[in-house]
Amino acid sequence: MTYDGNKRPGWDAYFLAMAMIASTRSTCIRRRVGAVIAAEKRILATGYNGSPAGTRHCTDIGCLRQQLGIPSGERHEICRGAHAEMNAVTQAAASGTSINGCGIYVTHEPCSICSKLLINSGCRRIVYMNPYPDELSRTLRAEAGLTSEIFEDGDAVKRVLENAMS
C-alpha cells in the first residue's frame, strides 16, 4: 500500500521512512544507511552506519576505503564503520530484545556480512530501497529462505517524511 496523502502510509513505507531518519546520524562519508528492526508492527531497534562507540568517525579522519581505492561492494572488512544492520542488531542485543522472526527495513540492500548476521539472528524479511552490488549477499539470503524485497515506491517514503514535517 502506498501513501496517497489522505490515508495513513503502509507499514513498509512507514518503517523505511524511519530508517531514512536513522540514516541522518551516519558518520560515513560514502553512504548514509539507516535500519529499523520491527516485529508485529513495532520498532524493536534502529541503527545507522558509523564508527564503533568511542572511536574516531570517518567524518573527522577520512574514509579508509576511499583512501585505499576500494570499490563499493568489495572488501567489507576494510572499513572503520559498523553497518546500520549490525548496529541495529547490537542495539537489540544490548537491551535484551529478541529479534527472532523480525523484519528489517534498510535504506540500502544488506551486504554479505550483514546478510549472514541477519540470517543467524532469525530475521525473516528484509525490505530495502537501494540495491547494493553484492551477489553473494543475494545468494546467501535466497539459500536461507530469507525474504528480500526492494521497495520501489520511494515517493511514498518521501511523502511520509514530508507529511511528518507539516
Side-chain angles (χ1 to χ4, degrees):
M1 175 181 189
T2 60
Y3 187 67
D4 67 8
N6 296 316
K7 297 178 183 176
R8 294 189 310 164
W11 288 107
D12 289 352
Y14 171 75
F15 289 133
L16 283 167
M18 299 299 282
M20 291 288 296
I21 291 169
S23 77
T24 65
R25 294 280 306 151
S26 171
T27 59
C28 180
I29 294 169
R30 286 181 139 184
R31 177 179 290 123
R32 290 176 169 247
V33 181
V36 169
I37 296 175
E40 300 178 19
K41 301 177 185 175
R42 290 189 307 208
I43 294 173
L44 303 178
T46 63
Y48 55 87
N49 57 330
S51 300
T55 66
R56 295 179 294 167
H57 299 293
C58 298
T59 51
D60 297 328
I61 63 170
C63 174
L64 178 60
R65 291 175 58 81
Q66 200 169 39
Q67 293 163 6
L68 296 174
I70 299 170
S72 186
E74 297 178 15
R75 304 295 312 268
H76 306 295
E77 75 280 7
I78 300 177
C79 179
R80 291 185 63 82
H83 292 185
E85 304 92 328
M86 294 175 187
N87 283 326
V89 169
T90 14
Q91 184 186 83
S95 67
T97 302
S98 172
I99 60 170
N100 190 39
C102 74
I104 188 166
Y105 298 82
V106 195
T107 58
H108 293 73
E109 183 178 12
C111 71
S112 55
I113 294 172
C114 289
S115 289
K116 290 183 266 188
L117 176 69
L118 294 169
I119 291 165
N120 285 344
S121 69
C123 184
R124 295 289 171 242
R125 182 174 183 240
I126 298 171
V127 180
Y128 62 92
M129 293 175 20
N130 301 292
Y132 187 70
D134 187 342
E135 194 55 42
L136 177 59
S137 175
R138 291 181 195 101
T139 300
L140 291 168
R141 292 192 315 257
E143 280 182 32
L146 179 53
T147 302
S148 294
E149 303 167 32
I150 186 165
F151 188 82
E152 295 183 355
D153 192 359
D155 288 340
V157 175
K158 288 177 187 174
R159 285 190 299 274
V160 173
L161 294 168
E162 288 168 0
N163 285 321
M165 300 307 292
S166 62

